[in-house]
Amino acid sequence: MDTGREAMYYEAAGERIHCHLCPQDCRIAQGQRGVCRVRLNKDGRLWATNYSRCTARALDPTEKKPLYHFYPGSYLLSLGTFGCNLKCGFCQNWQISQRDAPSYRLLPEEAVQDAVQAREVNPRCVGLAYTYSEPLMWYEYVLETAALARQKGLKNVLVTNGFINREPLKGLLDLIDAANIDVKAFTEDFYRKHCKGRLEPVKETVEVVRGAGWHVEVTTLVIPGLNDDEKELADLARWLASIDKDIPLHLTRYFPNYRYSMPATPLDTLKRAWEVAREHLSYVYTGNMAGREGSTTLCPQCGHALICREGMHLGQRDLSHGAQCPQCGQTIAITGSIMS
Ligand code: SF4
Ligand SMILES: [Zn+2]
């Protein structure tokens, strides 16, 4: 069996191995795997079995991550593996997060070479995204690939649940440029019951990486009856605003998937959630639903429509050089240039 690469951040704990990568804090017996299903105790050493194993690769619009304020109109060579350290019953990607999906070998240098070639063909390709399943459970691979990508002038983007311990997170701080982080709800109860995880470490991740200068956007999948309480959404938005009110928040529509079968989020619920969050934050979007309204960047000062989106692509835009609203002069929080 291919065991991948020896994992980082573990120690022997008697007969078991204690993994320190994430707050699941697994103590893994010989021959067993951690909660993430990709870290294996083999003969007293811990192995990252998904190292260099790729389940999906595509040149995606950056808007698809979703990142709306990071090089708008650009593309990212997007890579995914398998495995996840949360167990969300509503997972929208469960075929690769919770199952051993078919994969092929893609070494870090090959991934970077692919991204360089993608940029040669399409200059709007600005880098790599580690996405689809949970990239923090692909830790060693992301670390190596991101370092090589940096040397080639490529950006590194994570699409993540943010559920990682402080020490390993530090190892990524200088390598990653941008992240979309899921804050799945704003109660510990939700994380415990529906994800088998905890909220507090996720909040810490958002605070730490924003403090380290990453471009950060946050996504919350709004699930009817579970996390759509207006007070809870207001608390989430208020907390995010206390870090930086210019962090974009994406409120996305839940559809029945994996173990959860309740009907999709009503559109009115999303609209109300958008209104609640907008009271605290400069940029709020709705996603996974038709219509342009929720995907348009509005000036937080005067409400002028600055960037319209058609699906995942940029449509009409009205933003002057320097990302200033042409109507009121407000500076709009955009990282990097608009590429179209
Ligand atoms: S990374 Fe995997 S094995 Fe390690 S603590 Fe987290 S879930 Fe457990
Ligand atoms: Zn304006």
Side-chain angles (χ1 to χ4, degrees):
M1 180 183 57
D2 180 7
T3 45
R5 175 202 192 280
E6 187 169 9
M8 297 168 73
Y9 297 104
Y10 78 87
E11 63 182 350
E15 298 283 285
R16 293 174 180 249
I17 277 177
H18 188 179
C19 176
H20 296 294
L21 180 58
C22 91
Q24 293 291 8
D25 220 14
C26 297
R27 288 169 171 79
I28 310 165
Q30 155 63 17
Q32 302 296 307
R33 291 162 190 259
V35 170
C36 57
R37 299 173 46 258
V38 290
R39 292 171 97 78
L40 166 75
N41 175 351
K42 188 163 183 282
D43 303 329
R45 290 165 78 189
L46 191 66
W47 295 88
T49 62
N50 59 352
Y51 178 82
S52 288
R53 302 308 306 182
C54 182
T55 57
R57 168 170 54 172
L59 189 64
D60 284 341
T62 300
E63 323 282 310
K64 191 176 174 185
K65 301 300 107 193
L67 287 175
Y68 281 9
H69 289 237
F70 183 77
Y71 292 88
S74 66
Y75 286 82
L76 295 162
L77 182 69
S78 303
L79 307 175
T81 184
F82 46 86
C84 185
N85 52 342
L86 292 181
K87 301 281 148 202
C88 307
F90 48 85
C91 183
Q92 311 275 305
N93 268 337
W94 62 273
Q95 291 93 340
I96 53 173
S97 68
Q98 308 298 332
R99 298 282 183 276
D100 286 334
S103 63
Y104 58 91
R105 198 171 81 139
L106 185 70
L107 294 170
E109 51 271 30
E110 293 170 331
V112 172
Q113 189 52 34
D114 276 5
V116 168
Q117 273 167 8
R119 182 175 58 184
E120 279 164 13
V121 174
N122 180 354
R124 283 157 71 184
C125 171
V126 294
L128 286 144
Y130 311 93
T131 176
Y132 306 132
S133 62
E134 177 46 57
L136 296 175
M137 296 300 101
W138 212 11
Y139 185 86
E140 295 76 10
Y141 183 76
V142 169
L143 203 66
E144 289 178 24
T145 310
L148 291 175
R150 268 287 168 84
Q151 289 171 14
K152 300 285 182 189
L154 295 161
K155 306 289 179 202
N156 291 301
V157 170
L158 286 184
V159 181
T160 175
N161 62 28
F163 199 54
I164 185 171
N165 283 334
R166 255 316 163 84
E167 267 315 295
L169 180 61
K170 273 192 205 156
L172 290 171
L173 289 182
D174 288 341
L175 292 172
I176 303 297
D177 298 283
N180 186 299
I181 303 175
D182 270 353
V183 178
K184 293 170 188 285
F186 211 59
T187 65
E188 289 292 353
D189 193 50
F190 180 100
Y191 266 85
R192 193 170 48 245
K193 270 193 200 148
H194 301 286
C195 306
K196 308 275 180 278
R198 286 190 287 125
L199 168 64
E200 203 49 43
V202 178
K203 285 169 66 181
E204 259 190 43
T205 296
V206 174
E207 289 160 6
V208 168
V209 303
R210 187 69 196 90
W214 292 15
H215 174 94
V216 174
E217 304 195 17
V218 165
T219 295
T220 302
L221 184 75
V222 179
I223 310 174
L226 298 188
N227 65 355
D228 61 344
D229 176 74
E230 287 186 16
K231 185 183 169 303
E232 185 184 327
L233 288 165
D235 287 346
L236 190 159
R238 217 177 286 116
W239 161 75
L240 211 48
S242 74
I243 303 168
D244 180 352
K245 71 177 178 25
D246 288 347
I247 294 177
L249 174 64
H250 300 262
L251 299 164
T252 56
R253 191 179 188 203
Y254 148 91
F255 286 94
N257 212 330
Y258 194 34
R259 300 203 162 117
Y260 283 28
S261 57
M262 63 272 222
T265 317
L267 296 182
D268 281 352
T269 304
L270 262 306
K271 191 158 186 296
R272 185 65 197 128
W274 182 87
E275 286 165 358
V276 168
R278 272 276 285 182
E279 285 174 24
H280 306 280
L281 295 165
S282 306
Y283 310 101
V284 183
Y285 300 97
T286 51
N288 280 359
M289 52 193 265
R292 252 196 237 165
E293 215 187 352
S295 64
T296 299
T297 300
L298 303 173
C299 171
Q301 189 69 31
C302 72
H304 184 57
L306 299 165
I307 304 176
C308 298
R309 294 178 178 81
E310 316 277 354
M312 298 298 159
H313 300 278
L314 296 198
Q316 201 185 342
R317 64 186 165 92
D318 190 10
L319 203 54
S320 64
H321 191 65
Q324 272 162 345
C325 172
Q327 204 151 278
C328 73
Q330 170 79 21
T331 299
I332 308 303
I334 302 261
T335 301
S337 46
I338 301 177
M339 308 188 81
S340 59

